[in-house]
Amino acid sequence: MFKITTLFFFLFISSQVLKAQLVAELSIENQSVVGTDFFFDIFLTRDVSSSGDIYLDNSDFIITFNSSNFTNPVLTKESEPSPPFGIQNGYCDFSPTNFPDPNSFGAILNCSFTYFGNTSTSISGDELIINLNGVIVSNQTEFNEKVAKIDNTTSIHRLGRFRLSGITNPNGTAGLNWKVTGSGLITNVTAYTQTTTPWPTSTISVVISNHSDTPLPVDLSYFYVKSNKKIIELNWKVIQEFNTKGYEIQRTLDLTNFRNITSLPAQGGTSPHTYSYLDADVRPNTTYYYRLKMLDNDGQFEYSPVRSAKIEDESLMRVFPNPVDRELGIDMFAIEEGSAMLKIWNNAGIEMYIQSLELLEGNNVFTIETANWAEGVYFIQIKTAEGTRTEKFLKTQ
């Protein structure tokens, strides 16, 4: 969603100056949340409705925010953790005429000193104030090497990345919006009106794009699953739950057709939380794949990595009671329908009982009369297409 507001400052230029009305589009992009910090980038683009390029000078970028969702907020420029060429340019991607590649050494060095170094930040009430002091040039070489040239390529010309600290409302958003009208400071972009001496400047028209508030629904620390006897246990931890609604646990056997097996509400807040779920509706010797669908209050969602677990159980048969007197019970789990052969031997190896079985998928229970059998140790075996299972039981009087 974009909210577009247009300011009509028309800039008409004579023969020596840039010969068209200039319109700059400003956008807020890459919004994200880590802990109690909110991050965003500011981009500039020459709007497609205008021709000619923008040569950027002093500018004020004023953005309102939901101050009620913050306590003692602080606005700062964000430094790159691994700056290119070891030169800290604060994610600035501007490039001047002589260094058209924003990744070149000359462009990065210029961004560091001319734009990142000349940008200041402050907060006044519910307004974020970002001031670009611009460039002072005294000759053509300085102009060509220092002044940022803004064309109509989107998401390229980035002023920088900014950090807004102090989020305290777990269900709130930053609510960033450009301020273009009203009292006090408003957003104001100034550009050079010609590319040669004496390099006059003027305020130009701007088009404002307010990207929808899209903080990350959750900051997932870990998610793992493991088999635990006859169930599968899921555990996960989140660092914070900014604007998080809850979690859907999804499961599949084929890594394709996931289905929701349950949902858990989020605990909320900016503190770490741990969650667990026990899935008892599982079969032995079958691999299950799980993922989390993490939802926020605005309908946004993300998926966790997929995790798998399998209950390894070679003995899918239980005999009861053990010891037995008059009647032996057999509880047999079958992964699928099929035929089976049941045999029982005594301790001397003599076959005491044999029976063909038709198994249904799931649990199958059978009983065998043992009242007239002699005391001692017996062995029961059931052979299916899945394999052979054997148990031992004791007959008493």
Side-chain angles (χ1 to χ4, degrees):
M1 294 293 294
F2 296 92
K3 302 175 185 176
I4 307 297
T5 306
T6 304
L7 299 180
F8 297 99
F9 295 103
F10 297 97
L11 180 63
F12 296 98
I13 304 168
S14 61
S15 59
Q16 266 195 320
V17 300
L18 303 174
K19 298 182 182 295
Q21 175 189 346
L22 294 177
V23 181
E25 179 176 344
L26 307 181
S27 63
I28 299 170
E29 301 183 22
N30 301 328
Q31 299 181 58
S32 64
V33 173
V34 179
T36 59
D37 295 331
F38 188 90
F39 297 86
F40 64 95
D41 296 349
I42 291 181
F43 283 84
L44 291 84
T45 305
R46 190 257 295 165
D47 188 71
V48 293
S49 66
S50 66
S51 58
D53 294 320
I54 299 168
Y55 293 86
L56 190 63
D57 192 35
N58 296 350
S59 298
D60 294 312
F61 305 97
I62 313 302
I63 303 171
T64 61
F65 74 108
N66 292 337
S67 57
S68 61
N69 292 330
F70 293 77
T71 298
N72 300 321
V74 176
L75 178 65
T76 56
K77 297 181 293 184
E78 185 69 4
S79 298
E80 289 199 55
S82 300
F85 303 104
I87 301 171
Q88 185 54 251
N89 66 338
Y91 296 90
C92 176
D93 292 322
F94 289 158
S95 55
T97 301
N98 282 4
F99 307 109
D101 181 1
N103 297 313
S104 66
F105 178 83
I108 291 171
L109 184 66
N110 182 63
C111 255
S112 176
F113 289 99
T114 305
Y115 290 99
F116 177 72
N118 280 337
T119 300
S120 61
T121 59
S122 61
I123 298 178
S124 177
D126 62 353
E127 296 178 1
L128 308 178
I129 302 171
I130 300 170
N131 176 255
L132 172 61
N133 292 322
V135 186
I136 298 176
V137 296
S138 58
N139 57 60
Q140 194 65 48
T141 299
E142 286 186 343
F143 184 93
N144 293 340
E145 292 184 351
K146 292 184 177 181
V147 178
K149 181 181 178 181
I150 310 296
D151 62 18
N152 64 348
T153 307
T154 59
S155 298
I156 291 294
H157 309 291
R158 175 167 47 185
L159 173 63
R161 178 164 296 173
F162 301 89
R163 178 199 297 251
L164 180 59
S165 302
I167 298 173
T168 53
N169 182 359
N171 297 313
T173 62
L176 303 187
N177 285 285
W178 290 103
K179 182 185 178 186
V180 295
T181 59
S183 59
L185 289 175
I186 61 173
T187 297
N188 177 76
V189 176
T190 302
Y192 286 89
T193 59
Q194 68 182 53
T195 59
T196 57
T197 184
W199 303 291
T201 62
S202 179
T203 298
I204 67 173
S205 175
V206 294
V207 175
I208 305 300
S209 297
N210 287 322
H211 286 231
S212 59
D213 241 355
T214 54
L216 298 180
V218 67
D219 187 1
L220 186 65
S221 174
Y222 64 74
F223 170 52
Y224 66 84
V225 301
K226 65 178 181 179
S227 60
N228 185 359
K229 296 183 179 179
K230 293 187 177 182
I231 62 174
I232 293 179
E233 182 178 347
L234 291 77
N235 293 276
W236 67 97
K237 179 181 179 180
V238 294
I239 302 302
Q240 57 85 35
E241 293 175 317
F242 183 82
N243 198 34
T244 308
K245 180 179 180 181
Y247 307 88
E248 289 183 2
I249 299 176
Q250 299 184 347
R251 190 181 75 180
T252 182
L253 295 176
D254 57 12
L255 282 173
T256 301
N257 300 304
F258 282 90
R259 67 179 183 89
N260 182 25
I261 59 173
T262 193
S263 298
L264 297 177
Q267 299 176 60
T270 56
S271 300
H273 296 295
T274 57
Y275 294 85
S276 63
Y277 176 74
L278 302 179
D279 187 7
D281 185 21
V282 292
R283 306 171 183 173
N285 297 328
T286 302
T287 300
Y288 293 89
Y289 300 91
Y290 298 86
R291 72 182 182 187
L292 301 175
K293 184 177 182 180
M294 304 173 288
L295 305 102
D296 71 10
N297 291 313
D298 301 320
Q300 304 286 330
F301 65 87
E302 289 184 342
Y303 289 112
S304 72
V306 176
R307 301 287 187 254
S308 65
K310 178 181 180 181
I311 296 177
E312 301 287 354
D313 190 353
E314 299 300 329
S315 177
L316 304 181
M317 178 175 61
R318 181 174 65 93
V319 294
F320 62 93
N322 191 5
V324 62
D325 179 12
R326 304 184 62 83
E327 187 177 76
L328 178 69
I330 305 167
D331 185 359
M332 170 70 184
F333 183 90
I335 295 177
E336 57 185 8
E337 293 183 1
S339 299
M341 180 63 69
L342 183 153
K343 294 181 179 181
I344 298 177
W345 294 269
N346 63 16
N347 203 31
I350 300 173
E351 189 175 275
M352 302 292 298
Y353 186 88
I354 184 170
Q355 180 181 350
S356 296
L357 304 174
E358 291 298 323
L359 302 177
L360 300 176
E361 179 182 343
N363 287 89
N364 298 262
V365 178
F366 308 96
T367 58
I368 298 175
E369 180 64 43
T370 59
N372 296 326
W373 292 13
E375 291 184 336
V377 175
Y378 291 80
F379 298 89
I380 181 170
Q381 180 190 86
I382 296 182
K383 186 175 183 179
T384 69
E386 303 166 15
T388 301
R389 292 112 191 197
T390 304
E391 288 288 343
K392 181 172 66 173
F393 66 93
L394 178 65
K395 169 66 172 65
T396 61
Q397 296 293 348

